[in-house]
Amino acid sequence: MADEPSEKKNKPNTLSNKEGEERKNWKKWKEQKKEEKRRRKESKLIQQLEKQKLKKEEENQQQVKQEEKESKGRLYTVSVALPGSVMDNAQSPELRTYLAGQIARACAVFCVDEVVIFDELGEDAKSVEGEFKGVGKKGQSCVQLARILQYLECPQYLRKFFFPKHQDLQFAGLLNPLDSPHHMRIDEEAEFREGVVLDRPVKAGKGSFVNCGMRKEVQIDKQLKTGLRVTVQLNETQNKDGRVYKGVVVAPHVPRTEAGLYWGYSVRLASCLSAVFSECPYKEGYDLTIGTSEKGQNTDHVTLPAFRHMLVVFGGLQGLEASVDADENLTVSDPSVLFDLYLNTCPAQGSRTIRTEEALLISLSGLRQKIASSFPDPSTV
């Protein structure tokens, strides 16, 4: 009987021990949950930081690429203008064609962006479209010269689309190729290519198919008119097993302004010498105009000012004076007043005359170093 009270006294102690253990376990569980929650937050924060870091790296890479493009780009242009009558200085249809090829080669070698052919004989030629008399000893010299220049500038794989059989091109086999950067080989890898929009059906929301002279066609980002010549920027990553390549259409100047590539020349016909200036395709016009003549200032003593669009004008058989006299829109008699600079690019010449195709090479060669001084190559700085 004496032991009963002690048993009753021990029961509350047993309960309190159990409660104490449960409290400890609950605290431990709660701490574990807090730790797990903290770890999850840390993990989430680390992931966010990694994403931000990757995003920043991508932005930096894009910025570097953009800066590289900008540093490589060429923002200025060089245009030349000459009368189509220079073709009449050749004695046969074959020599007329070869003369045009010499002019095209000179323009390509010195990275000329625009060739303007002006009329000083009243032929009133404004387009190379339509049927003309074609190759001959005389006549239609502006149109013939323009057509041959356009033919040579066009990449070989596109010529069948844009140049049907024509008398002006019957001796095109005599011509030396320009081999410019945009004249690509079939397996040559490049960021930009010239192409022609094909007459192929496309799904809604999809772009047209373009022949860029590759083993596969390129699908661009827009639907364009069939037969249009376009400049295509190919995607950096291509699925080589895919049915087509992917690319986007860009302005023709983008290879020059972003990548610093010479991308051929455009050809423009002008009805007279004054139209060379008044019909300038650049919104701000030519900000540096140069006339060439044996009566001009010695080019060795001249420094070119800063410019965006330079124009160099050459005279025909009788010089720029004859071109000024034949232009009814001009009231001046001295050609030098039309230009910012009037230069003699070959002083102390040993021949009485310098042919226009020769003057083209001499002048552009003499101006090349002066242009390079104004626009140094970023890769050499």
Side-chain angles (χ1 to χ4, degrees):
M1 294 294 293
D3 294 335
E4 284 182 6
S6 60
E7 286 179 6
K8 286 180 182 179
K9 286 179 182 178
N10 288 337
K11 282 182 182 179
N13 290 337
T14 305
L15 289 172
S16 62
N17 289 339
K18 284 183 180 179
E19 287 176 359
E21 287 178 6
E22 286 177 0
R23 283 176 186 169
K24 284 180 182 179
N25 291 337
W26 181 80
K27 284 182 181 179
K28 192 175 180 181
W29 176 83
K30 195 173 182 182
E31 287 175 0
Q32 286 177 348
K33 289 294 180 182
K34 282 183 179 180
E35 183 67 20
E36 288 175 6
K37 192 175 181 181
R38 186 181 63 80
R39 286 177 182 174
R40 281 198 300 268
K41 281 184 179 180
E42 283 182 359
S43 177
K44 194 174 181 181
L45 185 61
I46 289 169
Q47 287 177 357
Q48 287 177 347
L49 290 171
E50 286 178 352
K51 283 181 181 179
Q52 288 177 0
K53 188 178 178 182
L54 288 171
K55 189 178 180 182
K56 195 171 182 180
E57 286 177 357
E58 287 177 3
E59 288 175 354
N60 289 337
Q61 287 176 357
Q62 289 177 357
Q63 189 176 353
V64 168
K65 285 181 181 179
Q66 186 64 30
E67 287 174 357
E68 285 177 354
K69 283 185 176 181
E70 288 175 359
S71 65
K72 289 179 183 177
R74 174 168 65 89
L75 300 179
Y76 68 89
T77 65
V78 177
S79 301
V80 299
L82 67 158
S85 60
V86 298
M87 297 282 277
D88 295 334
N89 204 25
Q91 291 77 28
S92 69
E94 294 90 340
L95 288 176
R96 283 167 72 93
T97 302
Y98 193 76
L99 172 59
Q102 285 181 296
I103 293 170
R105 283 283 304 169
C107 292
V109 167
F110 290 102
C111 300
V112 170
D113 302 292
E114 180 194 26
V115 183
V116 188
I117 302 164
F118 62 90
D119 181 14
E120 63 174 6
L121 300 176
E123 291 181 350
D124 194 30
K126 294 182 179 179
S127 170
V128 294
E129 299 295 329
E131 291 298 323
F132 297 95
K133 295 177 184 177
V135 174
K137 290 185 179 179
K138 299 288 179 183
Q140 297 294 340
S141 54
C142 291
V143 173
Q144 184 186 352
L145 176 57
R147 196 189 307 276
I148 295 172
L149 290 179
Q150 287 180 332
Y151 175 82
L152 281 172
E153 186 278 333
C154 184
Q156 294 90 328
Y157 57 86
L158 295 180
R159 287 174 182 168
K160 62 184 178 181
F161 296 98
F162 298 108
F163 295 94
K165 189 175 180 180
H166 195 281
Q167 278 187 305
D168 285 347
L169 302 173
Q170 65 175 310
F171 297 111
L174 299 172
L175 300 171
N176 295 314
L178 299 190
D179 204 21
S180 295
H182 63 304
H183 290 197
M184 304 283 185
R185 278 64 171 175
I186 189 169
D187 291 319
E188 189 173 349
E189 293 185 3
E191 183 180 1
F192 301 96
R193 271 185 177 263
E194 289 292 289
V196 59
V197 179
L198 300 174
D199 184 12
R200 278 188 54 183
V202 294
K203 296 178 181 178
K206 298 288 185 180
S208 302
F209 291 97
V210 176
N211 178 0
C212 289
M214 305 169 75
R215 297 192 185 277
K216 297 178 185 177
E217 294 166 359
V218 179
Q219 189 165 28
I220 55 176
D221 56 328
K222 298 176 182 176
Q223 287 192 18
L224 300 176
K225 185 180 177 182
T226 300
L228 191 67
R229 178 174 166 176
V230 292
T231 304
V232 176
Q233 184 175 18
L234 297 167
N235 293 355
E236 289 184 8
T237 55
Q238 297 283 354
N239 180 10
K240 294 186 178 181
D241 297 327
R243 187 170 53 88
V244 294
Y245 292 126
K246 297 290 184 179
V248 296
V249 175
V250 296
H253 67 77
V254 170
R256 169 180 62 84
T257 55
E258 290 191 1
L261 297 170
Y262 175 61
W263 213 245
Y265 53 76
S266 61
V267 180
R268 174 165 68 92
L269 284 166
S271 58
C272 55
L273 178 58
S274 58
V276 173
F277 302 92
S278 61
E279 297 173 3
C280 173
Y282 306 112
K283 188 177 179 181
E284 57 270 37
Y286 302 111
D287 51 358
L288 177 60
T289 56
I290 299 174
T292 58
S293 172
E294 62 179 359
K295 299 175 183 177
Q297 182 184 0
N298 188 336
T299 190
D300 296 336
H301 305 148
V302 171
T303 302
L304 296 184
F307 67 88
R308 287 296 301 273
H309 305 292
M310 181 175 76
L311 171 70
V312 186
V313 183
F314 299 87
L317 306 181
Q318 306 300 321
L320 280 173
E321 290 79 7
S323 300
V324 171
D325 292 340
D327 194 334
E328 297 177 356
N329 299 321
L330 297 175
T331 56
V332 299
S333 57
D334 183 6
S336 64
V337 301
L338 300 174
F339 304 97
D340 299 317
L341 297 171
Y342 199 55
L343 303 179
N344 180 359
T345 55
C346 188
Q349 63 194 57
S351 174
R352 291 189 183 90
T353 57
I354 295 179
R355 296 165 67 98
T356 303
E357 65 272 21
E358 296 168 342
L360 196 64
L361 283 167
I362 294 167
S363 301
L364 293 175
S365 178
L367 293 170
R368 186 196 66 82
Q369 186 58 43
K370 297 183 181 295
I371 294 171
S373 299
S374 300
F375 301 94
D377 186 352
S379 62
T380 62
V381 175

